[in-house]
Amino acid sequence: MAMATRSDLRNVAIVAHVDHGKTTLVDAMLRQTNSFGEHAHVDERAMDSNDLEREKGITILAKNTAVTYKGIHATEGPVTINVIDTPGHADFGGEVERGLSMVDGVVLLVDASEGPLPQTRFVLRKALEAKLPVILLVNKTDRPDARIDEVVEESHDLLLGLASDLSDDVPDLDIDALLDVPVVYASGRNGAASWNKPENGTLPDNDDLEPLFDAILKHVPAPSYDDEAPLQAWVTNLDASPFLGRIALLRVFSGKLVKGQTVAWVRHDGSHSNVRVTELLKTRALERYPAEEAHAGDIVAIAGIDDITIGETIADPDDVRPLPAITVDEPAISMTIGTNTSPIVGKVKGHKLTARLVKDRLDRELVGNVSLKVVDIGRPDAWEVQGRGELALAILVENMRREGFELTVGKPQVVVKQIDGKVHEPFEHLTVDTPEEYLGAITQLLAARKGRMEGMTNHGTGWVRMEFIVPSRGLIGFRTEFLTVTRGAGIANAISHGYEPWAGTITTRVNGSIVADRAGVATPFAMVALQERMSFFVEPTQEVYEGMIVGENSRADDLDVNITKEKQLTNMRQSTADNFERMTPSRRLTLEECLEFAREDECVEVTPEVVRIRKVELDQAARARRTSRLKRQDANV
């Protein structure tokens, strides 16, 4: 056994909290290494290739790129740096775990003003569990409210705090290396980095990213491998091509992989069979190009294995040595997804309506998303989908909507556990940054959601940071209320805290629903008469049906209304004109807002054109009987 290293290669992941500038920094790395042709048009945030990623401004899928560095620090010749851009949101933790399984070091990127936030803790914990060396990059030093010294100190405190937390699980963690983490100061948007600390609110004293490349070459170890070991490669991601079929992205840990080679494909259950690698692709910038062979340390894509999935191993057929499976955190939130059962289903030709199509699509999602689970609930047209968070499930539903599916989606619920005979539910560690004047309102809002304050820090800048432990149930629908209370100025971020005993009943919505009591078309005449007591979700002339929720009541009870009522036509002249111009504009709810608004007896109807909220039981008389029966039961109790 002889260990060898590849000095011409580095594999590094960029990890950070949401919106701290990972993808923008990767853009600058690509530009400064001349990874694109002279006349190539490159969008901003080039790594965010998914439409939803561009719209929401967040990274959802872990993606890789490769740059060839030939600068002054490449003393032994050009160095290929494989860069994994990971999501910063804990809901997409499965993507983070896969990304970290491919690399030998991480660049921890922290905002020079906001400092470490819950998702920073989440991604950094994953990196330390994998015993990866860390480079601290303080980004956005030119922000007017930058506080660089405090952020560096907070980051060191976070590193040491996580190291002490992990001392039992990872006993051989190198604490000395964490105390001596290299710090680079940068402005990713300006493509500038420096070893020297700039003044708060100013750019680094260097106009390129050479110090960052220097840090990566010095502190991220080159891939090491046993040059006598057989082929071992680990599938960490999947892609698809209309020409090549399913493409498996993998990291080669030992041995050599050659195009056209016959390899052993080791499945999750331990069984294996021989398959042929029909195509071998390497990455350059944002493109893949054909290659003849790959060696230990390389991150490559292969085609030719139609049913391969994440976490499986490619091995030598003469000496099969499987690698361990990728483990991800347990799901905490679930929702029921099924076919559309509303009376106006299938109004547009060509939409995907059947249970078979929905189930096939959910099964396809499981292939590429290791953090989701689909549970059979005994119904032929609906399934329970479990994920890490509300956002991850909403992204799945939004993608299906854009693909032409019509769905019925239940209200998000928490995944509970029985521990020592008692019901336990998931809790979140919530960090809130807010202007001082909203302190009382936020405390009151979270107290109603069974949150308990763990700490509060006043930075002396007019902003306060508060930390709460809140049941995951209490955060369903929290974001909209929070933004309303803080006039859009507050920042809230949550991360899993683990399971605790059931916290009791949480009332998150005090206003009742306005329900249409008959099918028809919403009329301006009816809406003008009703608008004093409610706000509407539908526009005039929009089609409605019995049981559809058309607005929010100003009181706590549900109210059935006739929103299709028309003005009686007579031959008598009236002295007053119709005052339709005084009609209040309707609220247009997004998919996430609909999921937050829905109560336990309500669900969301999702179609490619429109998203509606409706009662699970559409019949008004049946709902009234159920309500009276529940009242009698409560009275007897």
Side-chain angles (χ1 to χ4, degrees):
M1 176 177 173
M3 294 303 291
T5 58
R6 288 190 59 186
S7 58
D8 65 332
L9 186 64
R10 297 291 188 279
N11 295 321
V12 63
I14 298 184
V15 300
H17 179 80
V18 175
D19 204 28
H20 278 194
K22 298 181 299 299
T23 309
T24 305
L25 180 71
V26 175
D27 282 356
M29 294 174 72
L30 288 164
R31 284 195 302 272
Q32 293 189 21
T33 51
N34 300 315
S35 298
F36 302 115
E38 285 186 30
H39 304 291
H41 170 72
V42 182
D43 294 325
E44 282 191 20
R45 301 200 339 265
M47 293 289 283
D48 282 350
S49 52
N50 182 301
D51 287 344
L52 271 176
E53 290 179 319
R54 291 198 162 278
E55 286 176 25
K56 292 181 176 291
I58 61 172
T59 301
I60 296 171
L61 304 170
K63 290 174 285 292
N64 72 301
T65 184
V67 300
T68 302
Y69 175 70
K70 303 174 183 175
I72 55 174
H73 302 291
T75 54
E76 299 179 21
V79 179
T80 299
I81 303 175
N82 285 311
V83 181
I84 309 293
D85 183 15
T86 62
H89 204 293
D91 280 16
F92 309 110
E95 301 288 331
V96 176
E97 283 145 350
R98 293 204 312 239
L100 294 181
S101 69
M102 302 160 70
V103 299
D104 303 303
V106 297
V107 174
L108 174 67
L109 193 144
V110 181
D111 188 294
S113 170
E114 295 179 11
L117 283 168
Q119 266 86 340
T120 315
R121 169 181 286 271
F122 170 77
V123 291
L124 185 57
R125 184 186 184 93
K126 296 294 179 191
L128 294 183
E129 284 176 350
K131 296 186 233 177
L132 297 174
V134 177
I135 298 168
L136 176 62
L137 182 94
V138 181
N139 195 30
K140 304 186 185 180
T141 59
D142 53 331
R143 276 186 64 157
D145 55 349
R147 44 186 196 95
I148 298 171
D149 284 331
E150 293 93 327
V151 164
V152 171
E153 192 175 326
E154 289 170 11
S155 302
H156 281 135
D157 290 345
L158 175 61
L159 277 163
L160 293 174
L162 285 173
S164 63
D165 289 349
L166 293 170
S167 57
D168 293 336
D169 298 334
V170 190
D172 53 346
L173 196 63
D174 190 350
I175 303 295
D176 294 335
L178 294 180
L179 289 169
D180 198 24
V181 164
V183 183
V184 181
Y185 305 92
S187 170
R189 187 174 58 183
N190 293 281
S194 173
W195 287 109
N196 304 317
K197 181 175 74 69
E199 293 295 319
N200 288 335
T202 62
L203 287 168
D205 61 2
N206 182 45
D207 58 1
D208 58 27
L209 292 176
E210 285 295 333
L212 174 59
F213 289 118
D214 182 24
I216 290 173
L217 295 189
K218 280 182 182 173
H219 298 283
V220 175
S224 60
Y225 59 98
D226 178 1
D227 60 2
E228 297 175 4
L231 171 65
Q232 277 186 308
W234 202 8
V235 181
T236 56
N237 213 340
L238 297 174
D239 202 349
S241 161
F243 306 107
L244 301 174
R246 182 175 295 185
I247 295 173
L249 188 74
L250 42 85
R251 158 91 187 248
V252 182
F253 282 92
S254 61
K256 184 169 81 169
L257 189 62
V258 181
K259 179 181 176 180
Q261 176 183 355
T262 299
V263 296
W265 163 33
V266 186
R267 301 175 186 82
H268 286 299
D269 59 5
S271 63
H272 58 86
S273 57
N274 289 354
V275 290
R276 184 170 172 270
V277 177
T278 58
E279 193 65 68
L280 178 65
L281 305 166
K282 288 187 176 180
T283 304
R284 182 191 298 124
L286 304 179
E287 303 293 331
R288 292 195 180 113
Y289 67 94
E292 290 302 316
E293 61 183 35
H295 299 269
D298 281 330
I299 295 174
V300 295
I302 62 170
I305 312 171
D306 288 339
D307 298 321
I308 196 166
T309 61
I310 289 167
E312 296 181 337
T313 303
I314 298 298
D316 188 326
D318 299 324
D319 188 359
V320 178
R321 300 185 189 179
L323 290 160
I326 295 175
T327 57
V328 298
D329 292 344
E330 287 291 308
I333 300 289
S334 71
M335 61 170 63
T336 303
I337 297 178
T339 55
N340 187 4
T341 55
S342 88
I344 52 177
V345 60
K347 284 284 183 179
V348 181
K349 186 179 178 182
H351 285 171
K352 300 166 184 173
L353 309 172
T354 64
R356 180 183 60 80
L357 288 172
V358 174
K359 183 66 167 67
D360 287 349
R361 176 63 180 81
L362 292 176
D363 288 342
R364 282 205 313 277
E365 186 70 21
L366 289 178
V367 169
N369 191 336
V370 292
S371 57
L372 277 189
K373 287 185 180 177
V374 175
V375 180
D376 193 343
I377 56 174
R379 287 173 52 187
D381 61 345
W383 299 268
E384 182 182 320
V385 181
Q386 299 178 351
R388 297 284 279 272
E390 190 182 354
L391 179 61
L393 296 175
I395 293 288
L396 167 63
V397 174
E398 176 65 18
N399 279 326
M400 293 178 71
R401 183 184 76 80
R402 293 180 180 209
E403 291 166 19
F405 285 89
E406 291 199 20
L407 307 167
T408 299
V409 181
K411 180 179 174 61
Q413 309 283 345
V414 293
V415 179
V416 297
K417 286 183 177 179
Q418 288 282 345
I419 302 176
D420 297 331
K422 293 183 179 178
V423 176
H424 284 57
E425 63 173 326
F427 276 66
E428 307 279 328
H429 181 267
L430 176 73
T431 301
V432 174
D433 287 296
T434 177
E436 287 177 344
E437 60 262 33
Y438 304 124
L439 180 69
I442 290 169
T443 308
Q444 188 176 354
L445 179 64
L446 284 163
R449 294 167 177 266
K450 306 289 187 184
R452 63 177 188 269
M453 187 183 289
E454 294 284 296
M456 182 168 67
T457 310
N458 192 328
H459 297 310
T461 58
W463 282 66
V464 177
R465 174 169 292 180
M466 295 178 283
E467 297 187 26
F468 294 86
I469 303 298
V470 194
S472 299
R473 280 183 302 140
L475 294 183
I476 295 173
F478 166 75
R479 193 168 300 275
T480 306
E481 273 194 73
F482 172 74
L483 291 174
T484 304
V485 163
T486 61
R487 309 290 192 273
I491 303 168
N493 297 284
I495 186 172
S496 174
H497 179 69
Y499 277 77
E500 291 189 11
W502 184 263
T505 304
I506 297 176
T507 304
T508 56
R509 193 182 111 203
V510 293
N511 291 0
S513 303
I514 302 297
V515 189
D517 66 357
R518 67 198 70 194
V521 173
T523 62
F525 177 75
M527 294 175 74
V528 168
L530 292 167
Q531 70 179 4
E532 296 295 329
R533 292 179 287 169
M534 59 198 68
S535 59
F536 289 107
F537 302 151
V538 296
E539 304 282 348
T541 71
Q542 187 174 326
E543 189 173 2
V544 300
Y545 53 83
E546 182 182 1
M548 178 175 157
I549 293 167
V550 295
E552 182 178 16
N553 196 357
S554 57
R555 299 186 178 183
D557 299 328
D558 289 349
L559 183 65
D560 292 285
V561 299
N562 177 10
I563 201 173
T564 65
K565 186 176 182 182
E566 296 182 353
K567 185 175 180 180
Q568 295 296 320
L569 299 178
T570 69
N571 60 355
M572 299 292 290
R573 173 180 289 182
Q574 291 196 349
S575 58
T576 55
D578 292 327
N579 294 320
F580 293 148
E581 66 272 12
R582 295 186 309 184
M583 205 168 122
T584 307
S586 300
R587 286 163 56 192
R588 299 290 297 272
L589 297 185
T590 63
L591 173 61
E592 285 93 343
E593 289 170 337
C594 288
L595 291 170
E596 290 175 1
F597 184 85
R599 281 180 168 162
E600 279 71 17
D601 64 336
E602 297 165 358
C603 57
V604 180
E605 178 192 352
V606 179
T607 71
E609 280 75 34
V610 66
V611 179
R612 308 179 184 95
I613 312 173
R614 48 161 280 200
K615 290 290 185 182
V616 175
E617 176 57 69
L618 296 177
D619 184 71
Q620 180 184 349
R623 286 201 312 277
R625 286 196 298 271
R626 182 173 175 274
T627 304
S628 62
R629 186 169 66 249
L630 290 174
K631 284 182 179 177
R632 285 198 303 273
Q633 288 175 356
D634 291 343
N636 293 333
V637 171

